[in-house]
Amino acid sequence: MMKFNTRIFLWTILVPASSSAFTPSIALPASSPSHSIRVQSRLCPALGSTLLRDDVGKAIPTDEGGRKEYTQVPGMEVDLMNGSAKSYLDDGFVFGLDGSGLERPKGKVASVVVEGDSLETTPQQIGIVSATFAAHFYFAANAIAQFYSQSDGNTELTAVAALGTIVASWILADFGSGVFHWAVDNYGNGRTPVMGSIIAAFQGHHSAPWTITYRGFCNNVWKLCIPFGIPTISIISYLAGPENSMVTLFFSVFCAIEIMSQELHKWSHMTVKETPTWVNTLQDLGISIGRVPHAKHHLAPYDGNYCIVSGICNEALDNSGFFRWMEHRIYEINGIESNAWKLDPELRDRTLRGQYQLQL
């Protein structure tokens, strides 16, 4: 019988169940000419029309292997309504949509604007990803072996315990991806300490969501190897100890799935012909997030369907009004409105009235 370990209990609470829906690039328009006036969005009347300054950065089109990549130095826009400057670094960015002063690139064009970011996969990224997944596999396999030994070689018990742990980890990883995705979509900006670049990337993803499909596997997931990598699982395994091997297995799988969530996310933005048959099968079975379910998230005001591992938690979270309840509590605490509220004043009013369920 495995004993309850206080250290493990604390870690299950403190270790962030964050996701990945992490999009390393911020999708800003590169093909829009300077000094072009944007049309005010009907969903964001408060943002007004804007003018893009030409002294901040310029687009550089390249053509490699039939793919177009537009690189733009992070810039600022000037609000014509009041003369103030704003950019993806400010709260006024609001997903980089029409009312923010930015235009969606025409066609399926990749837009990479984060300084130092690139769609090119580097040897360093390959090394980090390879080492991370090798470590996760080692910790998971060792945890199963320890449990097998503790169960006196009971194969059936070990198989059931391992499978149950993996399924539970998969479900919690989906839930964690949704909470993290909701948080960075709706709060903060590029200037937010520590999380600024991730927040800007998530929010900018809405203006050119296909950019993620231009990334190779290691280029797409390597940044998530930092929070969910070797140091994290090593600490958790140490705190759990050999007597709680299933805890180590749980978090080994959890961290690996959170890293993979970015790739699962990428697949949901690709067509059936662009992905292998086995990927389409995983989506059909609901093991990874499908194209149609995730497409629902990309409908303004982006107020639901946040989970991007499998999406299995989306219906329950949206029907229960979980995220609206969270937004209401945050507003009561600090008066900050979610970006979804800024896009849809009616959503704001319903939430403040306590009508939390997502309107389908």
Side-chain angles (χ1 to χ4, degrees), residues 52-250:
L52 185 65
R53 287 171 47 180
D54 65 351
D55 59 341
V56 180
K58 57 184 177 180
I60 306 174
T62 62
D63 193 346
E64 298 179 2
R67 291 173 175 265
K68 293 183 179 179
E69 174 185 349
Y70 287 81
T71 304
Q72 180 175 335
V73 179
M76 301 178 67
E77 302 85 35
V78 178
D79 191 333
L80 294 181
M81 300 293 289
N82 53 34
S84 62
K86 66 181 180 180
S87 73
Y88 73 89
L89 297 174
D90 300 305
D91 290 332
F93 181 67
V94 189
F95 300 123
L97 302 179
D98 295 337
S100 69
L102 299 172
E103 294 177 352
R104 293 173 182 264
K106 294 181 178 180
K108 202 170 183 180
V109 180
S111 294
V112 180
V113 300
V114 176
E115 189 171 2
D117 190 18
S118 172
L119 301 181
E120 180 181 359
T121 300
T122 67
Q124 179 186 23
Q125 293 168 356
I126 295 175
I128 291 174
V129 173
S130 299
T132 299
F133 277 106
H136 287 337
F137 179 81
Y138 166 78
F139 279 106
N142 187 58
I144 294 175
Q146 288 177 339
F147 186 87
Y148 179 76
S149 177
Q150 293 165 357
S151 65
D152 297 324
N154 189 322
T155 304
E156 291 77 11
L157 177 61
T158 301
V160 171
L163 181 60
T165 300
I166 291 172
V167 171
S169 183
W170 171 69
I171 294 174
L172 185 63
D174 187 60
F175 171 76
S177 73
V179 173
F180 186 80
H181 189 180
W182 160 80
V184 295
D185 257 13
N186 286 283
Y187 299 98
N189 53 51
R191 291 191 174 92
T192 300
V194 182
M195 297 292 293
S197 62
I198 297 178
I199 292 173
F202 264 102
Q203 295 181 8
H205 170 66
H206 288 271
S207 66
W210 47 80
T211 298
I212 191 176
T213 67
Y214 287 79
R215 296 182 179 277
F217 174 70
C218 292
N219 178 276
N220 190 33
V221 307
W222 78 274
K223 288 186 178 181
L224 288 177
C225 291
I226 298 174
F228 298 107
I230 298 175
T232 300
I233 191 59
S234 297
I235 293 173
I236 293 174
S237 179
Y238 171 76
L239 292 173
E243 68 275 13
N244 291 299
S245 56
M246 287 297 99
V247 173
T248 297
L249 175 61
F250 179 91

Side-chain angles (χ1 to χ4, degrees), residues 328 346 348-356:
H328 198 172
E346 184 180 343
R348 176 185 184 278
D349 294 340
R350 288 201 310 269
T351 302
L352 292 178
R353 290 195 301 267
Q355 299 175 3
Y356 300 140

